[in-house]
Amino acid sequence: LNGFGAYFIALNRNKKSVTLDLKSEKGLEIFYKLVKTADVVLSNFSVGVTERLKIDHAHLSTVNPRIITCNITGFGENGPGRDRTSLDLVAQAMGGLMSITGQPDSPPTRAGIPIGDIGGGLMGVIGVLSALLAREQTGRGQHVDISMLDTQVSLLNYMVTMHALSSNIPERMGNGHMVHVPYHVFQCADGYIVIAIIMDEFWGKLMQAIPANDLDTEENQFQPGRLKNKGLINRRLNEILLTNTQKHWLDVLRSVRIPCAPVNDIRQALTDEQVLFRNMVVDVEHPLGGSTKIPGN
């Protein structure tokens, strides 16, 4: 649009910008003037750059004691790996995420979105909001140090605890779950749906909704039995679901409140009535003319 690509439009919407040479006295003077009335200074320079440019928290707090600074780096501002170079793929790989993503017989797989980058940004927001709250109580700003690697390890969540308790190393499980069954992607006559059963009562409702008498056994009523029979359950459900359309099965499953959904492509996701009702697709005008659709916040 007007010579600007999707990356630029998506990442720079509603932003004002100015180019400064922070290595020059005049550039630094202008930057400090901006800092006097700012709340937050965010950067993603490599470790040590803000100190060399004299725009780190120690310098900026003399200009504005209430300023909050946040630096998002690959590995954080201290530790033996702090000077390594990182990008999204590096964070996903080192943080363990790729090792549990993908099919069991496939190579490690990165997430379809740059969760290393986005996760770092989200953690940055959380850190800055916490610092803003602290500033309300103390009157002073502080520095927030965000590591993309830290973020990825944090997002592993219960996987870390499971490993610590059992010493087992989680492996790639495709679309399945290590505990819950059925919790998978299933093929219908015209597309894919997901079914997520995590409580025994939902299994009973599933057996009411889908003609699978051979699966409706006493053993399968409870999670340990379903986990034992995981392969059979997934295979039989897929055979049954192939006999009709996405809409048919989703209507049937939703009628008894089974957690389920279509596997949407991007176009389908952006035209979903709930997504549109919630204003999650918005038109943004370009200063040079025209507009484009982008995801809402």
Side-chain angles (χ1 to χ4, degrees), residues 3 30 32 34 40 46 51 58 64 68 70 102 107 142 158 165 177 181 187 211-212 241 246 284 294:
I30 295 172
Y32 287 163
L34 291 170
V40 182
S46 299
E51 288 87 350
N64 178 0
I68 291 161
C70 176
Q142 59 180 295
Y158 60 84
L165 292 174
H177 197 281
V181 179
Q187 188 173 4
L241 294 171
Q246 269 186 331
V284 171
I294 59 175

Side-chain angles (χ1 to χ4, degrees), residues 132-144:
L132 286 167
L133 178 60
R135 190 179 71 178
E136 289 299 306
Q137 300 168 347
T138 66
R140 297 193 63 83
Q142 59 180 295
H143 179 62
V144 180

Side-chain angles (χ1 to χ4, degrees), residues 158-174:
Y158 60 84
M159 287 282 192
V160 173
T161 310
M162 287 181 172
H163 167 65
L165 292 174
S166 68
S167 295
N168 294 329
I169 300 175
E171 298 178 348
R172 291 182 288 286
M173 296 170 289

Side-chain angles (χ1 to χ4, degrees), residues 241-259:
L241 294 171
L242 268 170
T243 64
N244 218 316
T245 64
Q246 269 186 331
K247 183 181 185 307
H248 170 80
W249 290 119
L250 290 172
D251 287 345
V252 168
L253 295 167
R254 286 168 176 168
S255 71
V256 291
R257 299 188 60 78
I258 296 291

